[in-house]
Amino acid sequence: MRHLLDTQTLAREDALRILDVAEDMADTQRREVKKLPTLRGKTVVNLFFEDSTRTRISFEAAAKRLSADVINFSATGSSVSKGESLQDTAQTLQAMGADAVVIRHGASGAPRTLATSGWISAGVVNAGDGTHEHPTQALLDAFTIRKRRFGDDSRGRDLTGAKVTIVGDVLHSRVARSNVWLLHTLGADVTLVAPPTLVPQDVTNWPARVVYDLDEAIAAQPDALMMLRIQLERMNAAYFPTEREYSRRWGLDANRLRALGADSIVMHPGPMNRGLEISAEAADSPRSTVLEQVANGVSVRMAALYLLLAGAERDSTTDAATTTGGDATEKETTR
Ligand code: NCD
């Protein structure tokens, strides 16, 4: 794997490989010493042009647990605010010897531009581009659903038969887009629930069904109910009458939480608007996987960085990362 840019074009076998290596990584994160020497000598640059807390910290933790050197570059306070272009920034990183660039950018397509421009030779990971995609978020969500479904027996399995319902601001959500593609690739059945104003026009081409009534969607007993953040910062018009009205019709309140099946989980990528799309009862309930998603995010990002930076060398020799059933990370330590 050279880059991780989207889930729309991510093959099923590559997705499963990332999830399986993430299982190995998660195992190592239960040890007392969490750090592995796997990416010693490699440099990972976190290039963040948009605000982020958990995604940036998660990539930083992932790279550090694999012993890579990490450079955090955020657009505020850098030359970007003086008008430096993506090209100049990228070429500077190249000159500094970046092996992987994790990029978050407000423009959809910026990671692909970076990966295909020829400006850098580093592997590129999309950490969220505009309203386009956020592939590692979808992978950590799939990992979380799979883990809840199959527990320690998750490796090699897809999500055939899982019913996943994604609720809220689909229009502005790269999380929703990445999830729709990946969940479909993994065999899950996807339903979107949103006010008509927050459903994108091109949704007819997506492998998902759209409904407008949350109670109806909950009555269908999904295995996972994924609540999306209302992205007020991306809204330049009134997409719903009032926040109160939104939360009454599309928010996950205590009553709707009770109506969910006993085994269904409640997901949210964070940051949450408590009281708007999700009530405190739902966010803090035992069926909420919000913090599990955060923890799994580190394992999934470790897997992605490993496959980008160490995986390539291994491809030609042995496929130890996924097919031996062994601990790829363990073998790395002996090199
Ligand atoms: C998401 C994002 O930035 O796209 N958050 C995240 O990565 N944790 C979703 C959001 O901001 O609502």
Side-chain angles (χ1 to χ4, degrees):
M1 209 169 67
R2 245 321 254 135
H3 307 290
L4 178 56
L5 301 176
D6 58 47
T7 57
Q8 186 171 7
T9 62
L10 188 67
R12 179 179 177 279
E13 67 187 47
D14 289 332
L16 286 177
R17 188 156 187 234
I18 296 170
L19 297 181
D20 288 352
V21 174
E23 291 284 348
D24 292 346
M25 296 299 176
D27 288 346
T28 69
Q29 296 310 292
R30 282 190 279 274
R31 298 180 193 160
E32 199 175 331
V33 178
K34 297 186 172 56
K35 199 156 171 150
L36 305 165
T38 320
L39 297 184
R40 199 157 46 197
K42 304 277 189 189
T43 300
V44 175
V45 178
N46 281 327
L47 185 58
F48 277 63
F49 294 87
E50 263 191 7
D51 291 344
S52 163
T53 315
R54 74 202 72 213
T55 303
R56 193 187 58 69
I57 292 174
S58 180
F59 271 107
E60 183 173 350
K64 286 184 169 162
R65 301 258 166 95
L66 293 170
S67 300
D69 293 319
V70 182
I71 299 173
N72 287 315
F73 179 110
S74 50
T76 41
S78 73
S79 297
V80 171
S81 54
K82 298 179 192 159
E84 189 172 74
S85 68
L86 183 60
Q87 176 174 1
D88 290 327
T89 306
Q91 284 171 332
T92 305
L93 300 177
Q94 173 70 13
M96 287 177 187
D99 296 295
V101 176
V102 176
I103 178 174
R104 169 167 288 200
H105 200 287
S108 301
R112 183 169 293 279
T113 301
L114 194 61
T116 55
S117 60
W119 301 328
I120 57 168
S121 55
V124 176
V125 182
N126 179 3
D129 61 330
T131 56
H132 175 228
E133 282 228 30
H134 191 356
T136 58
Q137 178 70 43
L139 285 158
L140 76 88
D141 290 335
F143 184 94
T144 304
I145 297 169
R146 192 173 79 154
K147 198 82 183 159
R148 280 281 181 131
R149 226 170 147 75
F150 300 113
D152 289 341
D153 196 23
S154 291
R155 283 182 181 79
R157 294 188 186 256
D158 68 11
L159 298 177
T160 301
K163 288 195 284 183
V164 183
T165 297
I166 304 176
V167 187
D169 187 358
V170 178
L171 181 64
H172 299 105
S173 181
R174 51 200 178 203
V175 173
R177 284 172 181 74
S178 282
N179 262 294
V180 165
W181 297 117
L182 181 64
L183 288 166
H184 173 70
T185 299
L186 295 177
D189 183 57
V190 187
T191 301
L192 302 170
V193 187
T197 48
L198 290 176
V199 175
Q201 288 197 332
D202 60 344
V203 83
T204 41
N205 303 321
W206 297 10
R209 109 178 43 77
V210 182
V211 303
Y212 302 98
D213 186 319
L214 180 54
D215 294 305
E216 201 180 290
I218 288 176
Q221 300 293 327
D223 297 292
L225 190 65
M226 187 183 294
M227 306 307 295
L228 300 172
R229 183 174 67 89
I230 287 290
Q231 303 200 17
L232 294 166
E233 79 280 14
R234 293 190 207 273
M235 293 188 185
N236 50 12
Y239 288 90
F240 45 86
T242 60
E243 293 194 0
R244 208 184 149 118
E245 172 70 2
Y246 181 87
S247 105
R248 194 180 65 76
R249 294 191 57 185
W250 291 283
L252 183 58
D253 61 15
N255 285 336
R256 291 189 172 122
L257 183 67
R258 272 194 294 278
L260 265 181
D263 296 327
S264 344
I265 58 172
V266 172
M267 311 180 77
H268 194 300
M272 294 185 276
N273 295 308
R274 283 171 181 257
L276 182 49
E277 71 267 359
I278 189 165
S279 63
E281 289 97 320
D284 301 328
S285 82
R287 57 178 62 197
S288 156
T289 57
V290 173
L291 296 176
E292 241 167 273
Q293 288 169 266
V294 174
N296 292 339
V298 177
S299 305
V300 164
R301 288 168 179 131
M302 286 173 79
L305 291 172
Y306 168 81
L307 289 169
L308 243 65
L309 292 175
E313 292 155 28
R314 309 175 70 90
D315 279 349
S316 53
T317 49
T318 132
D319 212 358
T322 50
T323 54
T324 59
D327 183 348
T329 53
E330 196 94 69
K331 290 189 190 75
E332 278 297 304
T333 62
T334 58
R335 293 220 305 198

